[in-house]
Structures are given as C-alpha cells and as structure tokens.
Amino acid sequence: MSLIVQKFGGTSVANTERLKNVADIVTKTAQAGNQVVVVVSAQGDTTDDLIVKAAELNDRPSKREMDVLLNTGEMISMSLLAMAIQKLGFPVVSLTGWQIGLETNSNYSDARIKRIAGERLKAELDNGRIVIVAGFQGINKMGDVTTLGRGGSDTTAVAIAATLGADLCQIYTDVDGVYTADPRIVKDAKKLDAITYDEMLELASLGAQVLHNRSVEMAKKYNVDLEVVSSFTRNPGTKVKEGSNMEKLLVSGVARDNNCARVAIINLDDTPGTAFKVFSLMAKHNVNIDIILQSVGRDNKKSISFTIRQDDAERVEKILRDAKEMLGYEDISINTKVAKVSIVGAGMASATGVASKMFEALASAGINIRMISTSEIKISVLINEEDSEKAVKAIHEEFFNA
C-alpha cells in the first residue's frame, strides 16, 4: 500500500463536471490499494471574484480580513469534492487547514508553514477514509486563519507529503507536465520527462506558473517525489527529482515574468554604505529585490537600479520618496512596463557560449536588453514588457529548434 498526495488546482475543480472527473481520478487511485490525501484549490476564478467583492466595500482592507475571506474558496471546493466522492460510495472526510493542524506564522496573505500536527490526518487514513484538505490555508498562534499566498495549495500538498512520508505527491493541473516554455505561447514547446529540483525551483521563481516556488523548495528539502500531471488527459507527467544520474540538458526551459518593475535611484553619493542604506530600507519593508545594477561612479555620484514585483511599485515609490533626505539621491524612476525573460538549465554550469546564444536570439529579434542577471544554472534579462512574448519564442527557437 502506498500513500499518495494529490493536489488539484482551480481549473481542475472549476465546475460540476470537472469535480466529477477529479472524484473519478481520486477513487481510482484509492481502488488501486493506496491511501489518498487530496488537496484542493478554490474553484476557477473564485479567489479573484472574492477580491473584487472586497474592493467594492473597501479599497484597502486589512490582510487579516482578506485571509478570512479568501479561506472560504478552498472550503467550498473541499466539501463539494467530498460530496462527489461520497456519491461514488467511498468513505471520505473534508478538513480545513486548521483541522489538520497546519500552523503558520502571522504574515497574513503570505504566511509560512511552521508545522503540520498530522495526527488527525493519520487517524482518518487509518480509518480507511480518503482525506480532502483545503489548500492555501492554515492557522497562526493567535488562532487566526491565514493564507499561504498565490499558489499556496502546492505548498500545502508538499508539506502534507513531507509530514506523512508520502510515497508520491502529484500536482494535477491544466497542462500534462513541465514544458520547455509555456505551450500557450510557444506551440512547439516540448514536454520534459524529468527535471531537477534546482531547475524547477528556478523556473518557478522566474515566472513559470506550473508549480509554486516554495513547494519545490520544500520538496527538495524533504526529498518529496513530485510529479506534474494533467487532470484532463491523464497522460504520464513530468517527474521532479534530484539531478544525480539524470542527463543534463543544456537548457531545460524558458520562462517569463511580467510582474516586474524597474527602480532607478539616480545620483546617489558614491561613498561606502550607500548601497547598504538603500537595500536595508527595502529589507525593513519586506520588499523582495531581484536584479541589481550599479553604475560606475562619476563626480562622486552613482545610480543604482534594481527590479521588484510590479505589485510593490507604488509602495516602493512612497518608501523612497519618504527617505529622500536620508538617502540623498537626486531623483527616482520606476518603470512598470518591463518583463523578465530567463533560461534555466543544469547543463549551463559546464557549458560555454550559452549567454551568447541567448543574446544573439534577442538581437536578431530586435529586442533591447535593459539588465542582466546570472547564476550557475540561469540567465535572466530585463526587457520591455511588449517584447516578452516575442523574446520567449526567439530564445526557444534558438535553443530547441535550431
């Protein structure tokens, strides 16, 4: 007997017919002699609809109250799926995040998991039930409900798999695996049979929407066997696992992230500690920084540019305006019409000329590069947002179809 955790995203449970389809997948897994824990997201656009409803009443609601509201979407999904499985004659129970003892910190809207008690889950499984869990949610030390941020149901599923020592964690989505690029953009994108944790983590962090980056990070940490599969085709998916003994592709995938903004702080003092002042200020306000570029100092002045999430642009502008006297800059500029396009591949660590091929593809497509960032297994460039789709196609063509 194996213990399998299955997570189903919003598109997989979007309506009655799709819930019946999921119920069929789950019960067939149980009929094969497995213990099954299912994690569900909110149906379709439910979360977005709830955000709109909140905005109609209050354009700046507290994050605590938003968490209370958004928790309800996953609870609807879990109870409906449990009813569908009951109809098929299988013993089943639905549980919220707090009922399974999923404890988080108090960072409302983007909470981190501290632990999962696990006793209730184990008891229900031992009693022969299929367990349906509402993803994306937990409870903090004050007893308040919290949410794990967008894509957090993936993290819930991996955390449960790690806690229970599951044999497999399957992430069901609307695509049948991890592709070399978003197949909605690149029609001839290729499905990968396997990808390393490190590659998947980079792709997830760089805009690929197949898996939540924190779920991959947790899977790597606790060595959880992950598989990305489709709830519609039921074809074999993509395995996410350690890279040893795996053939290393030069490039495994191309990703883009349009949720970017470029911040330029112009004419700062070119003295020791200036960069520290800027980035300690960002850290104090929990602003996530990505690509950083500093100009060569002239006339005792320099400029610093960096990228942030587009969602943080307005807040960061206010933070910097308020700190103008302390930082001593001449002006700031924030551009929200930019995108980050990246290539990722474990094979890049031991290969030469990868960056040159990427830049050649962009140049041939007439795309200008604004900023560049590299690591051992990825290269990212910042470009104009309007060029992002063209860039993905050009880079994919260069590496996979040339």
Side-chain angles (χ1 to χ4, degrees):
M1 177 185 293
S2 296
L3 172 56
I4 298 177
V5 177
Q6 298 178 322
K7 180 263 176 179
F8 294 89
T11 54
S12 298
V13 296
N15 53 44
T16 300
E17 288 307 310
R18 290 185 178 182
L19 279 164
K20 289 179 179 178
N21 178 59
V22 169
D24 183 61
I25 293 171
V26 172
T27 53
K28 277 183 168 56
T29 306
Q31 279 180 319
N34 302 300
Q35 292 181 310
V36 187
V37 178
V38 180
V39 176
V40 290
S41 299
Q43 290 184 284
D45 297 325
T46 299
T47 300
D48 290 334
D49 292 342
L50 290 172
I51 291 171
V52 171
K53 287 180 184 295
E56 290 172 353
L57 295 168
N58 185 340
D59 60 352
R60 292 195 176 183
S62 71
K63 289 185 176 181
R64 180 193 181 279
E65 296 307 323
M66 285 301 296
D67 276 5
V68 174
L69 175 66
L70 298 183
N71 263 286
T72 62
E74 277 67 21
M75 293 166 65
I76 292 169
S77 295
M78 75 174 192
S79 54
L80 289 175
L81 180 57
M83 293 173 193
I85 291 173
Q86 282 177 341
K87 180 72 173 177
L88 296 175
F90 289 77
V92 62
V93 62
S94 65
L95 300 172
T96 62
W98 51 95
Q99 284 177 309
I100 67 167
L102 195 156
E103 300 173 14
T104 75
N105 63 15
S106 296
N107 188 21
Y108 299 107
S109 83
D110 195 24
R112 296 299 194 263
I113 298 173
K114 297 172 74 173
R115 67 184 289 267
I116 298 178
E119 288 82 3
R120 179 72 184 273
L121 282 169
K122 292 173 185 174
E124 298 293 355
L125 289 169
D126 289 343
N127 285 329
R129 295 187 178 94
I130 295 169
V131 182
I132 315 296
V133 177
F136 176 65
Q137 60 182 230
I139 189 168
N140 65 17
K141 64 182 180 182
M142 294 176 287
D144 288 346
V145 294
T146 56
T147 65
L148 307 180
R150 286 284 189 168
S153 293
D154 289 352
T155 306
T156 300
V158 174
I160 289 173
T163 298
L164 299 178
D167 298 284
L168 179 63
C169 181
Q170 295 177 308
I171 307 295
Y172 282 85
T173 181
D174 56 354
V175 294
D176 56 355
V178 180
Y179 281 74
T180 51
D182 186 338
R184 290 165 293 192
I185 297 175
V186 180
K187 301 304 180 185
D188 58 350
K190 299 170 176 60
K191 190 181 80 172
L192 301 171
D193 293 329
I195 189 170
T196 69
Y197 288 124
D198 288 338
E199 289 173 317
M200 190 67 247
L201 181 57
E202 288 283 12
L203 285 171
S205 301
L206 294 167
Q209 298 176 356
V210 180
L211 286 173
H212 194 226
N213 61 323
R214 278 160 51 196
S215 72
V216 183
E217 189 175 5
M218 187 177 292
K220 176 179 170 64
K221 181 178 180 180
Y222 295 102
N223 199 30
V224 174
D225 282 343
L226 270 181
E227 183 181 20
V228 180
V229 285
S230 170
S231 57
F232 304 126
T233 67
R234 307 198 191 185
N235 293 328
T238 299
K239 296 281 189 180
V240 185
K241 55 187 180 182
E242 278 297 353
S244 57
N245 301 322
M246 289 176 59
E247 181 181 356
K248 292 183 180 179
L249 295 172
L250 181 63
V251 171
S252 295
V254 185
R256 73 164 178 174
D257 183 2
N258 285 357
N259 184 17
C260 292
R262 179 178 183 266
V263 179
I265 309 177
I266 301 162
N267 283 351
L268 289 151
D269 287 337
D270 188 15
T271 55
T274 299
F276 168 71
K277 288 181 183 178
V278 171
F279 294 111
S280 63
L281 181 65
M282 295 296 102
K284 177 183 175 182
H285 289 88
N286 296 314
V287 176
N288 188 40
I289 304 296
D290 188 15
I291 305 173
I292 300 173
L293 178 67
Q294 179 173 294
S295 67
V296 177
R298 290 189 179 91
D299 300 324
N300 295 319
K301 295 291 182 181
K302 64 184 175 184
S303 296
I304 294 177
S305 299
F306 55 90
T307 59
I308 58 173
R309 293 187 306 181
Q310 193 177 101
D311 305 340
D312 290 330
E314 186 176 333
R315 183 166 66 97
V316 167
E317 182 171 12
K318 184 179 186 309
I319 292 168
L320 291 174
R321 296 285 185 200
D322 291 345
K324 183 173 183 179
E325 185 175 342
M326 184 265 287
L327 296 176
Y329 61 81
E330 181 180 306
D331 196 10
I332 60 171
S333 171
I334 298 183
N335 183 358
T336 59
K337 300 298 183 181
V338 294
K340 182 170 59 178
V341 175
S342 310
I343 56 173
V344 173
M348 290 166 54
S350 57
T352 59
V354 180
S356 174
K357 287 185 69 175
M358 180 182 186
F359 300 157
E360 181 183 10
L362 293 172
S364 298
I367 298 170
N368 189 42
I369 299 172
R370 293 178 171 271
M371 299 174 76
I372 301 169
S373 173
T374 66
S375 75
E376 190 177 42
I377 65 168
K378 66 101 174 173
I379 301 171
S380 296
V381 295
L382 195 73
I383 60 175
N384 292 334
E385 185 178 21
E386 62 186 19
D387 292 330
S388 64
E389 187 169 316
K390 182 168 65 168
V392 170
K393 291 177 179 177
I395 294 169
H396 190 274
E397 179 73 21
E398 177 68 31
F399 284 98
F400 295 99
N401 298 321

